[in-house]
Amino acid sequence: MSFFGLTVSMSVFWLAAVIVFVIIEGLTMGLTTIWFAAGSAVALVATLLGAAVGVQIVLFFVVSVVFLLFTRKLFVKKLRTGTEKTNVDALIGKEAVVKASIRPFEPGIVRIGGQDWTAVCVDGEEMIAEGTEVEVVGIEGVRAIVRPLKS
């Protein structure tokens, strides 16, 4: 095979492809190019076993697509990348107790998980008395947006 006037054996080509795909996967962590690295590795083995170039190319595509279609979803589910709630996102949906009454258009104080937060009612015109249990429905800046829990 010839690239830019250089003759390269197919084994070197497939080895380079494996290395390039692994490096790209390492940089992006997108679970996309790793399957092409696997396809390149299979094509490399086929080359070393004396398979024709056409067979190598077909093996590369078939293995890459099969791995991509049948294992990506499994790996993404197992790794669960990017699904952990952190910081204030973790507060949404939590229950809290009103420590200082929330009046219409005036913030009060709620205790969420041992911390006091300034809070307003999702319905700005509603009064929520001290001691009422509420649910955090959002965070805007340093204020919790809450609504009373149904009794």
Side-chain angles (χ1 to χ4, degrees):
M1 181 176 242
S2 178
F3 286 107
F4 303 111
L6 300 172
T7 302
V8 179
S9 73
M10 287 307 290
S11 59
V12 172
F13 172 79
W14 290 119
L15 180 60
V18 168
I19 292 168
V20 167
F21 286 130
V22 167
I23 289 171
I24 292 170
E25 184 63 38
L27 293 173
T28 63
M29 301 294 282
L31 287 177
T32 303
T33 57
I34 194 69
W35 316 124
F36 298 109
S40 298
V42 169
L44 174 61
V45 170
T47 301
L48 297 174
L49 295 174
V53 174
V55 172
Q56 297 168 31
I57 293 170
V58 168
L59 279 172
F60 167 75
F61 282 113
V62 168
V63 169
S64 297
V65 169
V66 167
F67 273 126
L68 183 64
L69 291 177
F70 293 107
T71 60
R72 185 174 193 281
K73 191 180 266 187
L74 174 72
F75 278 96
V76 168
K77 184 188 247 184
K78 287 281 186 196
L79 296 176
R80 284 198 274 203
T81 54
T83 59
E84 188 70 29
K85 287 184 177 181
T86 59
N87 300 331
V88 295
D89 292 333
L91 298 176
I92 297 172
K94 296 255 184 187
E95 292 183 10
V97 176
V98 177
K99 292 297 182 185
S101 296
I102 302 171
R103 292 182 169 73
F105 306 107
E106 191 177 312
I109 305 288
V110 296
R111 179 157 291 164
I112 309 168
Q115 293 183 332
D116 289 344
W117 281 74
T118 302
V120 294
C121 183
V122 71
D123 174 11
E125 298 179 14
E126 187 174 347
M127 161 96 174
I128 304 176
E130 185 176 333
T132 305
E133 290 187 353
V134 293
E135 176 187 12
V136 179
V137 296
I139 302 287
E140 290 181 2
V142 295
R143 285 189 179 172
I145 312 300
V146 299
R147 72 170 162 234
L149 287 174
K150 305 287 187 225
S151 300

